[in-house]
């Protein structure tokens, strides 16, 4: 799974990327064989199940801090959001290729309004961050539109006869995870006519935009919330749309992870506090006090929450642990070493296949380790289930 970070210059993308990918503890292996230069490993977090069994787990990948389990995934810094990126301006083509690979986008927005659309400082803070959100959406829509319109006249004429425009467009946009059924539904929802040769430019844009909304999920990281001018912008934007908007302070999260890495504090990312354990300079003390005030107001820096909401709410993932009903420890003595991400609605059989093809093929039954109940193939798993697969 890949999470893409996008945003205009100076929104705080690099800071957020650094904060998300900085693990303050020794971590196990990564599940990824290749990591590209603009990718890093970040973590979704959940309340670990080890506590319910009175244990401390030993993750093979990722880590567990204070019974919060951190599950690794790829974070991609998608640089190059400039006007007309969809036409190949700036790093446009690279930008689009990176975007295509991301399953969900985190749009980093400077909520303070202190930088203009190019990321240059404006003083006093007057830029409307809502414009940045509309701008990215439009840029994505235009990109979809340009693919949709490739060979449009010919496709539309062909479809006029055969009534299969959904099939043609589904195929054309399949690289963006669009399929025939989705096109059909969207055409219906927009009440477009039966004859695609009559569709106006505006109708084509609406169709591209609807397909984009359905295939490129976006979470807004409302960044720089520590600055005074951010609050009113945040309230307004949150009220206006149906977007998922999470207040963040990337700078503060980075400071906390760095302090934890230098053994000055204990900090579990996502938490509403930290524990000072090293001796601090006056400046460090003041800095941490400032951060604690922020945490008291907002509940967390928001950085961990952005990842979690992207993975669990937008991408509809759940976490399931393999484990034996009589033993949670593997042959190397590691307790609950694995945690798998699955799509909501996955069954016991899906889980077996996810662990190993042989387990799936030889599936006999599964056991819900928490309740010790045997369940069949079709049993739908829940978030934080621990499951033993019995196979031939
Ligand atoms: N006040 C404040 N400044 C931030 C925050 N996050 C990033 N910044 C600052 O914003 C500036 C631009 O950040 P950077 O990560 O380089 O932005 P990028 O161009 O989007 O990669 C830097 O001076 C950061 O320190 C934040 O949460 N609060
Ligand atoms: Mg940067």
């Amino acid at each position: 799974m890949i999470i893409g970070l996008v945003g205009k210059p100076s929104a705080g993308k690099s800071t957020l990327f650094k904060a998300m990918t900085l693990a303050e503890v020794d971590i196990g292996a990564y599940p990824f064989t290749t990591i590209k230069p603009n990718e890093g490993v970040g973590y979704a977090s959940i309340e670990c199940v080890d506590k319910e069994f009175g244990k401390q787990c030993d993750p093979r990948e990722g880590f567990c801090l204070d019974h919060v389990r951190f599950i690794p995934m790829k974070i991609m810094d998608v640089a190059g959001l400039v006007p007309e990126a969809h036409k190949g301006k700036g790093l446009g083509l690279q930008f689009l290729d990176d975007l295509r690979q991301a399953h969900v986008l985190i749009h980093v927005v400077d909520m303070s309004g202190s930088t203009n659309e190019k990321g240059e400082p404006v003083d006093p803070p007057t830029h409307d961050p809502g414009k940045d959100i509309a701008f990215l959406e439009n840029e994505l829509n235009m990109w979809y539109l340009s693919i949709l319109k490739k060979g449009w006249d010919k496709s539309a004429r062909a479809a006029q006869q055969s009534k299969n425009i959904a099939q043609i467009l589904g195929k054309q946009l399949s690289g963006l995870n669009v399929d025939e059924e989705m096109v059909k539904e969207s055409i219906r929802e927009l009440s477009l006519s039966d004859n695609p040769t009559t569709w106006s430019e505006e109708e084509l844009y609406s169709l591209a935009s609807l397909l984009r909304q359905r295939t490129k999920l976006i979470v807004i990281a409302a960044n720089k919330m520590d600055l005074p001018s951010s609050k009113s912008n945040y309230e307004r934007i949150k009220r206006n749309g149906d977007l998922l908007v999470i207040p963040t302070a990337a700078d503060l999260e980075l400071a906390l992870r760095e302090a934890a890495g230098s053994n000055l504090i204990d900090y579990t990312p996502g938490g509403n506090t930290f524990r000072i354990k090293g001796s601090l300079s006056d400046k460090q003390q003041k800095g941490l006090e400032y951060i604690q005030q922020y945490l008291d107001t907002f509940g967390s820096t928001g950085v961990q929450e952005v990842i979690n909401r992207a993975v669990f709410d937008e991408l509809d993932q759940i976490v399931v642990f393999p484990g034996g009903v009589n033993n949670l420890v593997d042959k190397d003595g590691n307790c609950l070493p694995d945690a798998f991400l699955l799509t909501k609605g996955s069954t016991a059989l899906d889980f077996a296949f996810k662990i190993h093809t042989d387990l799936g093929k030889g599936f006999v039954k599964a056991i819900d380790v928490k309740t010790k109940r045997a369940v069949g193939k079709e049993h739908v798993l829940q978030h934080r289930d621990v499951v033993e697969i019995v196979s031939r």
Side-chain angles (χ1 to χ4, degrees):
M1 176 168 313
I2 305 183
I3 297 177
L5 300 187
V6 285
K8 72 182 185 189
S10 293
K13 224 156 14 82
S14 298
T15 310
L16 192 68
F17 180 79
K18 224 169 134 189
M20 284 176 167
T21 56
L22 186 69
E24 59 209 55
V25 291
D26 283 340
I27 40 151
Y30 297 136
F32 317 115
T33 45
T34 57
I35 290 274
K36 292 189 211 137
N38 64 335
E39 289 172 353
V41 177
Y43 303 86
S45 70
I46 62 163
E47 195 187 337
C48 195
V49 293
D50 60 356
K51 214 164 148 186
E52 288 171 41
F53 296 94
K55 305 263 198 248
Q56 173 57 60
C57 69
D58 311 293
R60 194 193 317 278
E61 293 161 349
F63 54 97
C64 192
L65 269 182
D66 202 18
H67 300 291
V68 179
R69 180 91 171 219
F70 289 82
I71 298 148
M73 61 200 49
K74 280 188 187 175
I75 313 275
M76 183 194 281
D77 186 352
V78 183
L81 173 59
V82 295
E84 309 208 313
H86 70 274
K87 289 186 181 161
K89 292 264 167 68
L91 293 169
L93 298 177
Q94 177 63 40
F95 175 72
L96 297 180
D97 194 49
D98 287 351
L99 279 183
R100 201 176 41 71
Q101 293 173 52
H103 298 97
V104 61
L105 299 177
I106 293 174
H107 184 190
V108 188
V109 177
D110 177 350
M111 259 315 126
S112 70
S114 57
T115 51
N116 67 16
E117 59 277 359
K118 292 185 202 138
E120 298 155 351
V122 286
D123 188 37
T126 48
H127 179 75
D128 173 9
K131 285 192 180 150
D132 299 339
I133 296 173
F135 165 67
L136 175 75
E137 288 181 347
N138 181 57
E139 201 57 42
L140 297 177
N141 295 346
M142 292 302 289
W143 169 41
Y144 273 58
L145 181 63
S146 71
I147 298 176
L148 192 154
K149 277 176 61 181
K150 263 186 201 142
W152 174 250
D153 289 343
K154 206 165 143 232
S155 315
R157 254 182 280 118
Q160 192 183 6
Q161 307 298 322
S162 55
K163 308 275 176 229
N164 64 344
I165 192 66
Q167 192 188 4
I168 294 173
L169 292 181
K171 212 177 269 171
Q172 196 149 319
L173 294 160
S174 63
L176 299 166
N177 292 328
V178 171
D179 60 29
E180 183 178 343
E181 199 46 43
M182 206 183 284
V183 179
K184 246 188 215 153
E185 273 171 29
S186 304
I187 289 173
R188 209 176 306 135
E189 197 173 319
L190 295 168
S191 312
L192 300 182
S193 89
D194 267 358
N195 179 358
T197 59
T198 65
W199 294 355
S200 67
E201 191 68 22
E202 260 162 53
E203 286 174 323
L204 284 171
Y205 181 85
S206 305
L207 180 59
S209 144
L210 195 53
L211 293 170
R212 194 276 305 164
Q213 280 171 43
R214 293 192 167 155
T215 48
K216 271 296 166 224
L217 305 166
I218 302 178
V219 180
I220 308 291
N223 197 36
K224 308 195 186 179
M225 282 302 292
D226 53 308
L227 298 179
S229 56
S230 295
K231 193 159 180 282
S232 59
N233 286 328
Y234 169 71
E235 300 292 346
R236 190 181 66 250
I237 285 166
K238 208 172 159 63
R239 243 194 339 265
N240 280 348
D242 46 3
L243 288 165
L244 186 50
V245 187
I246 314 291
T248 61
D251 251 2
L252 306 190
E253 177 72 11
L254 183 58
L256 286 173
R257 293 205 191 191
E258 283 175 346
S262 321
N263 277 318
L264 294 173
I265 60 170
D266 279 329
Y267 169 62
T268 304
N272 62 3
T273 192
F274 49 85
R275 193 179 65 84
I276 294 174
K277 60 177 184 181
S279 62
L280 304 175
S281 69
D282 271 3
K283 196 170 159 230
Q284 287 169 330
Q285 179 78 38
K286 286 232 165 60
L288 287 172
E289 274 167 22
Y290 174 78
I291 295 176
Q292 185 59 61
Q293 272 174 22
Y294 183 92
L295 296 177
D296 289 342
T297 309
F298 286 90
S300 80
T301 67
V303 172
Q304 191 59 53
E305 191 187 346
V306 166
I307 298 186
N308 291 351
R309 297 289 290 267
V311 172
F312 300 119
D313 293 354
E314 293 294 305
L315 293 177
D316 273 338
Q317 299 293 293
I318 59 169
V319 178
V320 180
F321 297 75
V325 74
N326 295 313
N327 197 357
L328 296 172
V329 170
D330 71 0
K331 62 181 184 340
D332 303 318
N334 294 317
C335 177
L336 292 165
D338 296 308
F340 288 91
L341 286 167
L342 296 172
T343 305
K344 221 173 259 172
S346 293
T347 61
L349 185 64
D350 295 331
F351 182 53
F353 270 107
K354 178 101 182 183
I355 301 173
H356 201 285
T357 317
D358 292 344
L359 272 190
K361 284 185 183 153
F363 186 97
V364 175
K365 63 173 177 178
I367 303 169
D368 178 325
V369 174
K370 287 182 185 172
T371 61
K372 302 198 190 331
R373 219 163 46 91
V375 295
K377 260 182 207 180
E378 306 296 337
H379 176 74
V380 174
L381 300 175
Q382 303 298 317
H383 185 45
R384 300 176 68 255
D385 270 352
V386 183
V387 177
E388 175 172 350
I389 303 291
V390 180
S391 75
R392 275 192 302 281

